[in-house]
Amino acid sequence: MIVTVHPAAALAGTPSLPADKSVAHRAALFAALADGESEIVGFSDAADPQSTVACLRALGVEFEERDDVLGPDGIPSLFVQGRGLNGLVEPAGPLDCGNSGTTMRLLAGLLAGRPFTSTLVGDDSLTPRPMSRVAIPLGQMGARIGMTDGHAPLVVEGGALSGITYRLPVASAQVKSAVLLAGLSASGTTTVIEPVRTRDHTERMLELDALEVGGERHLTIERGHRIRARQWVVPRDVSAAAFFLVAGSIAEMATIQLTGVGLNPTRSGVLDVLRAMGADIRTSNERERGGEPLGDLRVEAPANGLAGVEIGGDIVPNLIDEIPVLAVAAACAQGRTVIRDAEELRVKETDRIEAIADVLRAMGADVEERPDGLVIEGGRPLKGAAVDARDDHRIAMAAAVAALVADGPTTIHGAEAAAVSFPAFWDALESVAAGAVEMG
Ligand code: S3P
């Protein structure tokens, strides 16, 4: 699908945001493992969380969307008949994780301790992504996981597991969650040590004990840890909000409101960085729902524009998914932005360092690629161009934001990728920039 985005001088509105992808995956998974019925308020129709639901259905879990029970945004609630850990059944065929690394890695952890064999497959973007990072700790627990050169398909021969203590060598919430999920079936205690903090939805939602020891975080889970059937609430995705926060910060005129956005401090680094660049973002109505903090955001075009910034160190896992769109902000800011310690971007849905550098260079920006990041000399005017999303949702949406401030139309090839996390993105963009989005 090709979408053409035209420049837009003024942005205004309150676009609807999708469900937080990370929380949605986990809500589906943990509700499936609880004993009894759970309701998930504000679930997602995005492709990635739907892959998790499809896999869980293949494992025998029932999900029902109820149009008569609507959440705050008019989204039908998803009801889940939890089967408990021991209620999962051997799937009849391969479990298709689609484009979703979270689905594959978390399911690998869960299924490692189940008494049957499962095969996890993915699409052309997921298949080459690194899976040894989960297979290694799960192997130390006694799991047998077959891979091809460290990649999917993953053949998980479930069996008896023993608890381990595992220090994460990469700052990855997916690996942390996979080991903790395996810990549900493992004898004794399983401990994951996090030298650098990553998103903490798993431990919040599973109500796990966390200890700070010498600057590191120790998370423990016991075999058979009970997961309560309950109402789970999914906030709107701060990673989706980021596209509008940047759009509002680089436009000539803008007032955009975003409501019910997840503001978990392990995810909100994008707000800190944009504010440090001079963005005018106000938070209001902060509240907590379902154990996750949320609030409303209002972004206005900053009177003095944005300035370049340095991004590196421990904040990187906190905003890793937002770096493509932060690179767009950097291209529109005055001065130099340096992004470092972000080599993980090279193993996302595509090599996002190369992909966003290509998009921005095609549009006339001064961007240098580094092995672990980017150096962007901001302030050059962007020009309309033809760009390729490379089957990556965040590259498609970041390119669309850059296109709003270019001097002519930009055609985005592979624009359908947005549906992986934000199916209504193009409508949401059009809702704040009337006439800017031309489909086809
Ligand atoms: C996610 C963790 C991050 C993030 C991904 C979602 C999660 O990946 O990039 O979009 O929900 O746990 P890593 O665990 O690979 O860092």
Side-chain angles (χ1 to χ4, degrees), residues 172-188:
S172 165
Q174 294 177 358
V175 176
K176 167 173 69 177
S177 304
V179 175
L180 292 170
L181 279 165
L184 285 172
S185 315
S187 61

Side-chain angles (χ1 to χ4, degrees), residues 210-228:
L211 267 182
E212 290 291 328
V213 185
E216 298 185 325
R217 224 154 158 260
H218 290 225
L219 297 158
T220 52
I221 194 163
E222 304 289 335
R223 169 192 259 168
H225 175 85
R226 184 163 174 262
I227 303 174
R228 284 187 297 120

